[in-house]
Amino acid sequence: MNLPTLRRGLLLAAAGVAALLAGCASVPPTNIHQPMTARPQPKAEIVAANGSIYQNANFRPLFEDRRARFVGDTITITITENTNASTNQATKATRDSSIQAAVPTLNGLPGKSLMGMGLNATSNSALNGQGQSNNTNVFSGTITATVIEVLPNGNLLVSGEKQIAIGSQQEFVRLSGVINPLFVGTNNTAASSQVADARIEYKSTGSISESQVMGWLARFFLNVLPF
């Protein structure tokens, strides 16, 4: 193997390793409404008045609050999700059956060797099944999302993401949903329980999360093996 060929092979191998490392550090997929942020829509310019006190360009209503109402506004969502579900099932079925038969006297017919033979059969079947499932989830925290769309009825479609990097581990907190402006408090916050069509995710990437994922070859055999 000559030197150019060897160099080309090393470059391809390095590119493959870089692609593999990039794939391992890729952002996990999401089901959150896209986009996860939006810029405010440009507002028409207002010509400033020439008055000595009142300036139209800098005017803001006296009783206007800072609650989100336009595309690009931010709103803080308090995540307070606590779900607890349990189910208990029991199934029981039994069945008994019996059969009795005898061959009476045969006159004028062949097969007299069967005379006096009796047949008894008994069948029993039973089914007893029980199942129990418990599931408890607790998720609390806060995230600030952006209004990405104002629906015709005034509801706000919000979406947001928070990324936290701790060493080589990256945590992703994502949220999206529809909020009724009436549920937004004076401090521009709303509870996640008041978000319609809420989609809340907590995912992570890194060596710790990768160690908890089954390898692709093991998943392949798990899908194709019949036992």
Side-chain angles (χ1 to χ4, degrees), residues 1-17:
M1 180 182 297
N2 53 14
L3 184 59
T5 304
L6 179 60
R7 185 178 300 173
R8 189 181 301 109
L10 293 176
L11 290 176
L12 291 176
V17 173

Side-chain angles (χ1 to χ4, degrees), residues 163-215:
Q163 297 186 20
I164 304 173
I166 304 176
S168 61
Q169 192 75 10
Q170 287 190 350
E171 311 291 335
F172 296 83
V173 182
R174 297 163 175 162
L175 180 144
S176 69
V178 179
I179 301 178
N180 189 331
L182 297 178
F183 296 153
V184 181
T186 55
N187 56 350
N188 197 32
T189 60
S192 61
S193 58
Q194 298 174 328
V195 179
D197 300 332
R199 299 179 183 180
I200 305 173
E201 294 179 352
Y202 178 81
K203 296 182 178 181
S204 61
T205 59
S207 57
I208 298 177
S209 59
E210 292 172 0
S211 63
Q212 301 176 353
V213 179
M214 184 182 298

Side-chain angles (χ1 to χ4, degrees), residues 12-31:
L12 291 176
V17 173
L20 180 61
L21 293 177
C24 294
S26 61
V27 178
T30 179
N31 293 324

Side-chain angles (χ1 to χ4, degrees), residues 7 14 17 20 46 55-56 60 66 77 85 92 97 130 136 138 143 145 155-156 190 194 196 201 203 208 224:
R7 185 178 300 173
V17 173
L20 180 61
I46 303 176
Q55 296 292 328
N56 195 15
R60 297 192 66 90
R66 293 294 181 175
I77 309 297
K92 185 176 182 180
S97 62
Q130 294 182 351
T136 302
V138 178
I143 182 174
N155 289 344
L156 309 176
Q194 298 174 328
E201 294 179 352
K203 296 182 178 181
I208 298 177
V224 300

